[in-house]
């Protein structure tokens, strides 16, 4: 049994979400990014979720928008970023539960896949695989290994759809 519930974020959660992201990343940059996301076309409120324990927001995840560009054209796609859990609540399954709930929301919305930059050790057991194995290229930071570019294929994924392969274009909101 868990001692938290997962639900969509609400405007009254925004200060607590900011505190979660600052504590999880030990800096303001990610929290500032969340604020910018909410002001842009990539914001998807239905897949911006919080974990709440005893009335307090203890975790947060967003599935946002990005673009896949290839010779076949350009199309919008889904990206998981960021995932944060208060340090005192980490290693209890909250992050994994948030990711699973966000993926379920993306599947329900008809998304073919969700991409992310992250640790294969953490995200692999949640069903993420190397994006390049599916023809999806991601520009990663210099410190990140190629395996950090990952994708989770959802039921709407069609391997014959050439628009689902190409380079991920990050919206300007990511800086």
């Amino acid at each position: 049994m868990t001692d938290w519930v997962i639900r969509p974020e609400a405007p009254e959660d925004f200060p607590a979400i900011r505190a979660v992201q600052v504590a999880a990343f030990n800096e303001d940059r990610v929290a500032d990014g969340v604020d910018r996301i909410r002001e842009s076309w990539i914001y998807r409120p239905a897949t911006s979720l919080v974990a709440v324990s005893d009335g307090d927001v203890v975790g947060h995840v967003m599935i946002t928008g990005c673009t896949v560009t290839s010779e076949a054209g350009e199309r919008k796609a889904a990206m998981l970023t960021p995932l944060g859990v208060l340090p005192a609540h980490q290693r209890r399954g909250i992050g994994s539960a948030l990711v699973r709930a966000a993926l379920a929301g993306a599947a329900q919305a008809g998304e073919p896949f969700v991409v992310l930059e992250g640790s294969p050790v953490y995200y692999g057991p949640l069903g993420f695989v190397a994006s390049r194995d599916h023809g999806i290229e991601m520009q990663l930071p210099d410190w990140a290994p190629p395996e950090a570019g990952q994708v989770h294929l959802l039921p709407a994924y069609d391997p014959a759809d050439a628009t689902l392969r190409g380079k991920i274009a990050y919206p300007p909101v990511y800086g």
Side-chain angles (χ1 to χ4, degrees), residues 33-127:
V34 169
D35 293 339
R36 288 191 306 272
I37 287 167
R38 289 194 192 105
E39 296 170 357
S40 74
W41 69 267
I42 67 171
Y43 181 47
R44 298 176 176 187
T47 51
S48 296
L49 309 173
V50 292
V52 179
S53 179
D54 293 325
D56 296 323
V57 173
V58 298
H60 176 248
V61 70
M62 298 176 107
I63 292 199
T64 62
C66 63
T67 307
V68 179
T69 305
S70 70
E71 291 179 10
E74 184 176 287
R75 73 177 288 158
K76 290 186 176 23
M79 176 179 283
L80 190 146
T81 187
L83 168 65
V85 177
L86 286 175
H89 292 269
Q90 292 176 0
R91 295 177 183 31
R92 295 176 40 206
I94 294 171
S96 324
L98 281 164
V99 170
R100 285 188 197 96
L103 290 170
Q108 186 176 23
E111 295 290 348
F113 61 70
V114 174
V115 294
L116 64 76
E117 292 179 15
S119 166
V121 173
Y122 182 82
Y123 289 102
L126 297 171

